[in-house]
Amino acid sequence: MELSVDQIRTIGEAYPGSAAIYHVVGTKLKTVYASPDLPGILDMDPEEYRTETATDAMDIILPGDRPAVQAAMLTCIRGEREKAELFYRVIHRHAGFDWVHVQAKIIGTMEGSPVFAASFTNATVETDIYQDIINHMSGMIYVCDCDTYEILYANEAAAKYRQQENRRLFGMPCYTYIKDRKEPCEDCFMKRMREGDNLSMTRFNPMKHTWELLHGEYINWCGHHAFVQYIED
């Protein structure tokens, strides 16, 4: 069904919660409608959100996650699935990045190209998703990808670690952010464990000049095979 801009906005206003409607233009997503509360998920005001997404709504998605989003959309365009549901990371003004849970489907076309309606929730604050991790302790919490070592999540204490150096968490491996290394640690805590284990150990952190108590375990984090570390001084 071919849609006009006015029809798209009417549909968007009827969507519950945080929603957006995008027009696929070549390889870009053009925002036709965004609900007033959507920028708040990114800790942005409406003007900032419009600026960040003016050229392409994909620009607020972390580069490493864009291929998965594009692939999910393509399966809908090809008719292989009716709805795409996925988790991915978006730029967050204060935290560096945050996770969103998105459900999207094609609702029609505009100028012959697909139009997607998407509903958003903040994955790290959804009622039953990983609240036990977030609230586990007041110390630092990191979730890292088991294969790439990339930091997938960090609580507030961890995000503030080395903040004075203006470090950006997204795209950074844990060994670089935590220990300022260029390659994985010889005594990597994650690699010392097996699936199903729950291990504790102490280690000296030369960056902070303190001893730390570590706990860790393997988990599934938004579809990633991941490892969570809890660190306390």
Side-chain angles (χ1 to χ4, degrees):
M1 177 176 66
E2 186 74 2
L3 299 170
S4 67
V5 172
D6 287 342
Q7 287 174 315
I8 290 172
R9 288 175 178 165
T10 298
I11 294 170
E13 289 169 358
Y15 255 74
S18 300
I21 299 181
Y22 304 110
H23 180 210
V24 179
V25 181
T27 59
K28 297 181 179 181
L29 285 182
K30 296 294 184 179
T31 304
V32 184
Y33 170 83
S35 58
D37 61 340
L38 182 58
I41 289 182
L42 311 175
D43 196 28
M44 295 181 183
D45 60 41
E47 183 58 36
E48 287 175 302
Y49 178 79
R50 283 192 291 270
T51 299
E52 293 290 339
T53 60
T55 302
D56 185 356
M58 296 282 282
D59 287 344
I60 62 171
I61 302 174
L62 264 61
D65 290 355
R66 291 174 194 170
V69 176
Q70 292 168 333
M73 292 174 56
L74 191 56
T75 61
C76 293
I77 293 171
R78 289 173 174 168
E80 297 170 6
R81 66 167 74 173
E82 181 180 349
K83 180 188 295 185
E85 182 174 5
L86 66 162
F87 295 87
Y88 57 80
R89 291 166 294 174
V90 293
I91 296 170
H92 189 281
R93 181 171 59 176
H94 291 127
F97 69 85
D98 206 351
W99 286 87
V100 292
H101 177 197
V102 181
Q103 298 183 67
K105 64 179 181 179
I106 295 174
I107 59 171
T109 61
M110 187 166 70
E111 299 173 356
S113 297
V115 173
F116 277 85
S119 60
F120 295 80
T121 52
N122 185 315
T124 56
V125 297
E126 284 183 320
T127 304
D128 296 318
I129 296 183
Y130 311 124
Q131 285 297 308
D132 57 330
I133 294 175
I134 297 169
N135 297 322
H136 186 81
M137 57 192 285
S138 60
M140 296 188 294
I141 302 172
Y142 295 96
V143 179
C144 307
D145 187 284
C146 291
D147 298 318
T148 66
Y149 298 90
E150 184 178 359
I151 295 175
L152 302 176
Y153 171 80
N155 70 345
E156 185 175 351
K160 288 180 178 178
Y161 179 62
R162 301 180 67 183
Q163 189 178 42
Q164 69 276 11
E165 298 179 29
N166 295 316
R167 292 289 182 132
R168 298 287 287 180
L169 276 169
F170 62 79
M172 185 175 290
C174 55
Y175 52 81
T176 300
Y177 188 77
I178 299 173
K179 288 195 169 184
D180 201 30
R181 292 177 58 92
K182 295 182 179 180
E183 55 188 22
C185 306
E186 293 88 348
D187 60 344
C188 176
F189 185 44
M190 175 174 66
K191 298 304 182 183
R192 293 177 60 178
M193 293 183 61
R194 294 176 297 180
E195 296 283 350
D197 286 349
N198 191 310
L199 182 67
S200 297
M201 64 173 284
T202 57
R203 72 177 181 196
F204 184 73
N205 185 333
M207 305 297 299
K208 297 173 65 179
H209 304 288
T210 59
W211 284 92
E212 299 172 330
L213 175 63
L214 283 71
H215 306 277
E217 60 186 316
Y218 287 99
I219 62 169
N220 183 308
W221 179 269
C222 297
H224 288 254
H225 182 216
F227 185 78
V228 58
Q229 296 184 63
Y230 310 102
I231 305 175
E232 289 185 291
D233 290 337

